Amino acid sequence: DNLDQTSRCGRQTQSMTGATQLPMARSIATFTAFFLLSRPETTSAVQSRYCEDEGECGYKDNGLGREAPIWTLTEANKCWIDIRHLTRVQHPQQYQALKNGVPLYPGAPNLQPQEISDIFHLSDNNLPPRLSNGGIPVLRADTEENQGFSDIYRGVGWQHEAARMLSNRIPFVVRGLRAVEELLNGLNPERLKKSYGKTKAIANIYQPTKLMTGCSDGARKAGDCAGDMTAEMSVYSLVQAATQQLDTVVPERRVRRGKAKPQQGPGSSEINKQPVNRTLYFSAKIDEGLDSLVDNVYRVAPLAWLPLATRDNFRLRMGLAELKYRAHWDGVDNFIVQVTGTKLFVLFHPEDELNLYPLRRETRRSRLTLRHLNITRYPRAKNALAFWHRLVPGDVMFLPLHWWHYVESQDPRESSEEGYWLTITRHGAEYQNSQIVTFCPEDVFL
């Protein structure tokens, strides 16, 4: 599960334990075939050279009608990818392949999207997600067998396949990571309080019958969070509420017409001890060094492959009740680690944006109520290509930047002994001008 990296002439060398060592790439042409998904005629015309030093890796034809590099190597395991190539070339080619039912790259798992209503029918009937019913690929880190498509990969190391899918920006799940299993066994409520109990954040308190729209940390702090009530809470107070089966927090603010107005009574949400609805969403930045079990998860493949963002690298998310989070996309790559409880993810390719009817003022959020879809009002939604996976404890999911996702969590009082659902997230791949900084795949291809 471990991946050690050292820099050599701007490239990375890798050694692994518990998995087959990934062979080093010998040609940028292979990178083009796997990562950029260029058509054969385009691939043959691409001029390339070895990337011996930091700097632009010389792609002359980037599919945009001019000569410019598609990606730039800046340091070990860190590449800048031209966002225009991603959105104008790679994404459209991927989407066409999905509609035609063909693999996204040679040897790729054959993804088979479903209609939105079919996804909920499958999940509500507790059927397992598989490639044949819209499920995303699942890799086993503890064996050589890859669930659902072992007939394609036939014993090739899971890290190799994870690198191929990450580089092609395809969602996938890894199970059986030793560091994650140790986290599940060790991060009990008492340890969680000891390590992160003082961690505070402004949480959403939403109506159980409505979708949670979500908002930024700044909007939560200002009390202007898409109509939701907000309250400052700590990990300690949430764990106490869950383990004692009590609601020991009260909102500090209620949003009215976009303005935050203080509630009556003491300003601290943890003094009154008045009960509120358990439908809350807590999301807080966390630092390394507070808990060794969590730190170890961030340091293993494939989570360690993403270069650190300039801010907001690690997050802890918790809830005490069922959650329905409006479909949206994130501006960073995510590795999501399910620690307790379960979460249903319904995923859509970036090219499905128009089929998901973005909100006018928040274009990265959908106006659709996916569980009760009004096809008459939103007819294009029937054309959306839906994928899904239900995260269970121990699952680690790669969610690429720009992929739309709708999220549901079951009531943790039914799905978790601890009484709360908990995920930790590793962020990477961020915007820098017209590029994104992301995983550098040059040394992990055949």
Side-chain angles (χ1 to χ4, degrees), residues 78 307-313 332 427-432 437:
K78 191 172 183 180
L308 293 177
T310 55
R311 59 183 178 86
D312 198 10
N313 287 300
V332 292
H427 290 161
E430 59 183 349
Y431 288 106
Q432 291 192 11
V437 180

Side-chain angles (χ1 to χ4, degrees), residues 137-422:
V138 177
L139 294 165
R140 295 293 312 194
D142 51 0
T143 70
E144 288 295 320
E145 179 182 359
N146 296 325
Q147 177 179 321
F149 50 96
S150 58
D151 57 330
I152 296 176
Y153 293 120
R154 288 197 175 93
V156 177
W158 71 269
Q159 292 195 26
H160 178 82
E161 301 309 333
R164 282 158 53 106
M165 286 185 281
L166 194 155
S167 300
N168 284 278
R169 313 195 65 73
I170 300 172
F172 64 90
V173 168
V174 178
R175 287 179 174 164
L177 286 171
R178 187 180 303 113
V180 175
E181 296 298 329
E182 292 172 353
L183 177 69
L184 300 186
N185 294 329
L187 194 62
N188 55 41
E190 289 305 312
R191 179 163 182 157
L192 185 62
K193 287 191 293 185
K194 182 178 180 180
S195 298
Y196 300 105
K198 295 181 180 179
T199 300
K200 292 187 177 182
I202 306 296
N204 299 60
I205 301 175
Y206 52 91
Q207 296 298 317
T209 58
K210 296 182 179 180
L211 287 176
M212 198 193 83
T213 297
C215 57
S216 66
D217 288 347
R220 290 189 185 99
K221 188 173 182 180
D224 184 11
C225 194
D228 290 340
M229 293 187 294
T230 61
E232 184 179 51
M233 302 176 186
S234 68
V235 171
Y236 184 92
S237 69
L238 296 182
V239 175
Q240 286 291 95
T243 55
Q244 297 176 13
Q245 293 293 300
L246 299 173
D247 298 323
T248 59
V249 290
V250 64
E252 287 182 335
R253 305 175 178 90
R254 183 184 297 273
V255 179
R256 293 178 181 173
R257 296 179 182 176
K259 296 182 179 180
K261 296 186 178 182
Q263 296 278 85
Q264 297 295 321
S268 172
S269 62
E270 295 180 73
I271 292 178
N272 279 344
K273 306 296 184 184
Q274 297 180 16
V276 297
N277 198 299
R278 295 172 61 95
T279 49
L280 58 88
Y281 176 80
F282 178 89
S283 175
K285 299 177 185 177
I286 57 176
D287 297 321
E288 285 190 282
L290 297 178
D291 192 287
S292 60
L293 291 177
V294 175
D295 292 348
N296 289 340
V297 170
Y298 292 141
R299 294 169 183 162
V300 300
L303 291 86
W305 291 348
L306 290 179
L308 293 177
T310 55
R311 59 183 178 86
D312 198 10
N313 287 300
F314 314 115
R315 275 200 171 259
L316 179 151
R317 292 177 169 90
M318 293 182 67
L320 302 182
E322 184 182 26
L323 170 73
K324 292 183 175 67
Y325 202 131
R326 185 180 298 277
H328 63 287
W329 59 265
D330 297 334
V332 292
D333 282 346
N334 291 273
F335 272 112
I336 302 163
V337 182
Q338 192 71 28
V339 182
T340 63
T342 68
K343 274 190 176 180
L344 169 68
F345 277 78
V346 182
L347 309 175
F348 304 90
H349 191 274
E351 289 293 299
D352 257 327
E353 178 172 330
L354 292 180
N355 295 330
L356 297 176
Y357 294 85
L359 293 167
R360 182 172 299 177
R361 294 185 178 181
E362 294 185 86
T363 55
R364 69 185 192 93
R365 304 188 190 279
S366 169
R367 69 180 68 247
L368 300 181
T369 303
L370 295 184
R371 265 206 171 273
H372 307 286
L373 197 56
N374 188 334
I375 293 295
T376 302
R377 186 175 182 181
Y378 303 111
R380 290 196 307 273
K382 191 173 179 62
N383 300 324
L385 308 181
F387 304 90
W388 69 295
H389 186 82
R390 187 180 295 281
L391 288 177
V392 298
D395 281 357
V396 179
M397 184 173 73
F398 173 61
L399 179 62
L401 174 150
H402 286 170
W403 273 72
W404 291 79
H405 50 287
Y406 166 84
V407 186
E408 281 187 4
S409 68
Q410 290 180 293
D411 192 321
R413 288 170 289 188
E414 300 174 0
S415 62
S416 167
E417 294 181 1
E418 293 82 359
Y420 53 81
W421 60 258
L422 172 66

